[in-house]
């Protein structure tokens, strides 16, 4: 072997070269291993991405942006060195953005999947004390499954996000009546406009549902010509509104309105929803006029309680009902106009016929409506032209057991509440036997119904601002349940 004077240097160079190759190999192995670990991290939180990023850097999401703090904490970012050395960077970057956008769209579905799993676990727990937290008290008598309801409510508070469309102008959008018989409609719209107790989100891609804040009551006031019974202007307005949001935003067309909801307490709410086929057939319609014989679908639609607050507040006499032991001299009470097919039957059989049943068409001036409710054991709630009646909530406020006389009425929150635990149902065909039916309720059963009324009252109270478990939250919870039952596929 011939050597030169540079033999020592050559050996050093050879050794250095070998060392460099070794270190390069180690670094390459570490990079590949790190990439595999990061890929596993992504696949553990979501489905496997359709591409692999060759070189990545981890950056804190907090350093990138504060607008999506709920997103996963770290993001894969192409390194500058790879950008300079790879002609495929634009394609990889686009795929990266696509993956991130797709993951952001899927995040609401991931949240819902976790909520469903938690609710299923809670539903199997028979000991309610194992579920309740924060000193909450739930009466097991008035719920179908108190554990499932409580867990569902907690999941709603933790996760549920509503996007409120900002399109439209006052007065028919972003406003509604906050007094009288349509109070529920306006108060809900106003609550959502003010932020919805943190349920409202400004980031549309984070939302689980999308709310269209138009008021059918104000449409009737400003668009309808009296005595024409022409609902065309209402339908045109709703149709134009849907066209506006569906062309400006991708969400309506993405789900065919299945994750959108409208809310109306006016009798013509269902008619206004017919302005667009997807609104009527697919969307969540929150309606006081919850008549199953006229297209109301309890699987996707929500029954809205009708609450008549003349001044916007609960009548002073009903704020604090008398103690449960207070004697109530009258068996039953009703006063109201002859509206619809049921009330004439009731008046025909009982008006002025029995002193135990205080039945009036129009209340004499010397008598007080709320005082008679407070003096009666049962308050009759027959449907009028439409199925809903504000007497139901008034009965709950006065702890006068409501007697539901209706056909095809889907009662509010009936997927959670056991209405037979705090009310009595009388078929229209049994109105002639009304006194016999009510006298047949044992005293201990009546006291149980009355106590349950006291427990369920908070679910029907309009607070300002709203409070946990009140009617605003129960309406939202009903929408939340419908959204939980909806699985969207990409």
């Amino acid at each position: 072997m011939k050597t030169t004077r540079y033999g020592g240097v050559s050996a050093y160079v050879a050794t250095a070269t070998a060392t460099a190759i070794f270190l390069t190999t180690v670094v390459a192995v570490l990079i590949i291993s790190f990439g595999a670990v990061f890929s596993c991290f992504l696949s553990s939180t979501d489905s496997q991405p359709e591409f692999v990023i060759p070189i990545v850097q981890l950056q804190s999401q907090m350093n990138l942006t504060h607008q999506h703090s709920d997103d996963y904490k770290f993001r894969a970012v192409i390194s500058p060195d790879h950008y300079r050395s790879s002609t495929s960077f634009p394609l990889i970057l686009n795929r990266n953005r696509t993956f991130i956008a797709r993951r952001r769209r899927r995040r609401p579905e991931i949240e819902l999947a976790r909520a469903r799993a938690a609710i299923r676990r809670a539903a199997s727990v028979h000991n309610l004390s194992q579920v309740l937290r924060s000193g909450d008290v739930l009466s097991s008598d008035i719920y179908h499954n108190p554990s499932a309801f409580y867990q569902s409510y907690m999941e709603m508070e933790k996760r549920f996000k509503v996007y409120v469309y900002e399109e439209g102008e006052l007065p028919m959008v972003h406003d509604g009546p906050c007094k009288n018989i349509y109070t529920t409609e306006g108060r809900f719209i106003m609550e959502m406009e003010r932020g919805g107790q943190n349920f409202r989100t400004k980031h549309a891609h984070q939302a689980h549902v999308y709310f269209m804040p138009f008021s059918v009551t104000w449409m009737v006031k400003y668009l309808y010509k009296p005595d024409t019974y022409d609902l065309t202007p209402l339908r045109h307005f709703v149709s134009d509104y849907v066209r506006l949001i569906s062309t400006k935003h991708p969400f309506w067309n993405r789900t065919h309105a299945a994750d959108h909801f409208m809310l109306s307490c006016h009798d013509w709410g269902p008619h206004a929803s017919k302005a667009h086929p997807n609104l009527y057939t697919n969307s969540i319609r929150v309606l006081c006029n919850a008549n199953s014989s006229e297209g109301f679908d309890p699987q996707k639609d929500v029954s809205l309680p009708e609450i008549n607050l003349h001044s916007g507040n609960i009548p002073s006499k009903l704020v604090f009902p008398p103690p449960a032991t207070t004697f109530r001299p009258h068996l039953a009470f009703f006063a109201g106009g002859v509206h619809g097919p049921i009330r004439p039957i009731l008046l025909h059989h009982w008006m002025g016929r029995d002193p135990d049943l205080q039945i009036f068409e129009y209340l004499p001036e010397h008598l007080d409506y709320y005082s008679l409710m407070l003096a009666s054991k049962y308050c009759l709630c027959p449907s009028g032209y439409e199925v809903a009646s504000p007497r139901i909530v008034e009965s709950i406020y006065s702890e006068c057991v409501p007697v539901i006389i209706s056909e095809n009425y889907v009662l509010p929150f009936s997927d959670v509440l056991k209405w037979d635990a705090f009310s009595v149902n009388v078929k229209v065909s049994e109105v002639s036997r009304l006194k016999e039916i009510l006298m047949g309720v044992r005293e201990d059963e009546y006291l149980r119904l009355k106590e349950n009324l006291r427990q369920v009252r908070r679910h029907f109270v309009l607070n300002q601002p709203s409070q946990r478990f009140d009617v605003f939250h129960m309406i939202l919870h009903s929408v939340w349940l419908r959204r939980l039952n909806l699985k969207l596929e990409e």
Side-chain angles (χ1 to χ4, degrees):
M1 179 181 293
K2 185 181 292 185
T3 63
T4 66
R5 51 186 301 195
Y6 300 106
V9 175
S10 298
Y12 174 79
V13 171
T15 301
T17 303
T19 302
I21 292 173
F22 173 75
L23 291 174
T24 303
T25 303
V26 170
V27 171
V29 170
L30 289 174
I31 290 174
I32 292 171
S33 300
F34 181 77
V37 170
F38 184 70
S39 176
C40 290
F41 167 75
L42 289 177
S43 63
S44 68
T45 56
D46 202 357
S47 59
Q48 184 74 16
E50 298 178 353
F51 61 94
V52 177
I53 301 176
I55 302 176
V56 298
Q57 296 175 340
L58 289 184
Q59 296 185 359
S60 168
Q61 180 70 16
M62 293 297 292
N63 294 334
L64 291 172
T65 175
H66 64 277
Q67 294 180 350
H68 303 290
S69 59
D70 288 336
D71 288 352
Y72 51 91
K73 294 181 179 179
F74 298 97
R75 178 183 294 174
V77 183
I78 303 295
S79 89
D81 292 336
H82 183 71
Y83 170 65
R84 287 191 290 268
S85 62
S86 174
T87 58
S88 64
F89 170 73
L91 176 61
I92 295 174
L93 182 59
N94 287 337
R95 288 179 177 177
N96 187 26
R97 287 174 176 170
T98 301
F99 170 66
I100 292 171
R102 182 180 301 166
R103 176 165 167 71
R104 186 171 295 152
R105 289 197 302 269
R106 291 197 62 195
R107 183 171 182 81
E109 296 305 312
I110 295 171
E111 293 275 338
L112 293 171
R114 291 169 178 165
R116 292 186 194 104
I119 296 167
R120 280 195 295 268
R121 289 192 298 269
S124 63
V125 176
H126 299 290
N127 186 357
L128 188 60
S129 63
Q130 296 179 23
V131 181
L132 294 179
R133 297 187 291 273
S134 305
D136 293 314
V137 177
L138 267 69
S139 170
S140 58
D141 288 342
I142 63 177
Y143 305 101
H144 293 298
N145 188 319
S147 299
F149 164 65
Y150 184 77
Q151 187 64 46
S152 177
Y153 186 91
M154 296 299 290
E155 294 294 329
M156 177 191 75
E157 285 191 326
K158 178 181 178 181
R159 307 178 189 276
F160 198 31
K161 294 300 177 185
V162 180
Y163 182 77
V164 181
Y165 283 112
E166 297 181 356
E167 285 71 25
E169 298 180 359
L170 296 170
M172 288 175 289
V173 184
H174 310 295
D175 191 18
C178 293
K179 297 180 180 180
N180 298 319
I181 199 168
Y182 305 122
T183 299
T184 320
E185 179 178 309
R187 291 283 284 272
F188 183 90
I189 293 173
M190 295 305 296
E191 191 71 40
M192 289 306 306
E193 288 291 325
R194 294 187 181 115
Q197 293 292 306
N198 299 321
F199 291 104
R200 181 176 181 176
T201 178
K202 292 291 186 179
H203 305 295
H205 287 284
Q206 295 180 358
H208 301 98
V209 294
Y210 301 84
F211 178 46
M212 298 167 285
F214 54 73
S215 168
V216 175
T217 304
W218 278 175
M219 289 182 210
V220 174
K221 179 177 180 179
Y222 293 106
L223 299 179
Y224 173 70
K225 294 181 179 179
D227 302 323
T228 63
Y229 297 98
D230 181 10
L231 305 185
T232 304
L234 280 66
R235 293 179 181 172
H236 281 170
F237 183 92
V238 174
S239 177
D240 290 342
Y241 187 84
V242 169
R243 186 181 302 110
L244 174 63
I245 63 171
S246 63
T247 54
K248 186 174 179 179
H249 303 277
F251 312 110
W252 177 278
N253 296 319
R254 189 177 69 189
T255 65
H256 303 289
D259 54 358
H260 284 59
F261 76 100
M262 60 163 284
L263 179 141
S264 173
C265 201
H266 197 280
D267 293 347
W268 290 347
H271 298 286
S273 71
K274 293 180 180 179
H276 193 283
N278 285 345
L279 180 62
Y280 183 81
T281 305
N282 298 337
S283 75
I284 302 168
R285 300 180 305 153
V286 185
L287 305 171
C288 282
N289 191 4
N291 190 334
S292 61
S293 70
E294 297 179 354
F296 184 90
D297 181 0
Q299 297 300 314
K300 74 172 190 68
D301 297 329
V302 172
S303 178
L304 182 66
E306 191 170 275
I307 304 176
N308 187 4
L309 301 181
H310 296 288
S311 65
N313 299 307
I314 296 176
S316 58
K317 290 185 178 181
L318 304 185
V319 173
F320 300 106
T325 56
T326 302
F327 175 66
R328 299 197 176 211
H330 306 306
L331 178 64
F333 165 68
F334 170 79
V338 184
H339 299 159
I342 297 176
R343 294 182 188 180
I345 298 173
L346 174 65
L347 296 174
H348 170 73
H349 283 286
W350 296 107
M351 187 173 68
R353 293 179 179 269
D354 193 312
D356 289 335
L357 276 67
Q358 296 290 301
I359 309 298
F360 304 90
E361 180 178 354
Y362 294 104
L363 198 63
E365 292 184 1
H366 68 281
L367 297 178
D368 179 73
Y369 184 84
Y370 297 125
S371 295
L372 280 169
M373 295 188 82
L374 294 168
S376 302
K377 297 175 65 175
Y378 298 93
C379 289
L380 309 183
C381 307
S383 293
Y385 287 121
E386 306 298 347
V387 290
S389 171
R391 288 169 180 79
I392 294 176
V393 175
E394 291 171 342
S395 299
I396 294 172
Y397 289 168
S398 60
E399 296 178 12
C400 176
V401 177
V403 179
I404 314 296
I405 309 175
S406 184
E407 292 180 337
N408 307 309
Y409 182 30
V410 180
L411 291 162
F413 318 139
S414 54
D415 40 12
V416 169
L417 300 177
K418 294 193 297 186
W419 276 84
D420 59 357
F422 53 89
S423 69
V424 174
N425 184 70
V426 174
K427 297 178 181 179
V428 176
S429 60
E430 297 176 331
V431 168
S432 60
R433 298 179 49 243
L434 181 61
K435 184 174 183 179
E436 175 189 347
I437 293 171
L438 297 182
M439 291 293 291
V441 179
R442 300 191 316 271
E443 183 64 18
D444 62 332
E445 176 64 12
Y446 164 72
L447 293 175
R448 184 184 73 87
L449 293 170
K450 190 174 179 181
E451 175 58 29
N452 289 340
L453 272 182
R454 190 173 291 248
Q455 297 292 331
V456 83
R457 174 191 173 102
R458 66 171 172 170
H459 295 322
F460 292 88
V461 173
L462 274 166
N463 294 300
Q464 199 169 11
S466 61
Q467 300 176 14
R468 299 181 75 229
F469 294 105
D470 68 1
V471 71
F472 170 78
H473 287 85
M474 291 298 289
I475 295 167
L476 267 186
H477 183 261
S478 294
V479 176
W480 160 255
L481 286 181
R482 272 71 184 168
R483 184 62 180 86
L484 279 176
N485 289 332
L486 177 68
K487 291 187 178 182
L488 302 180
E489 302 292 340
E490 270 198 58

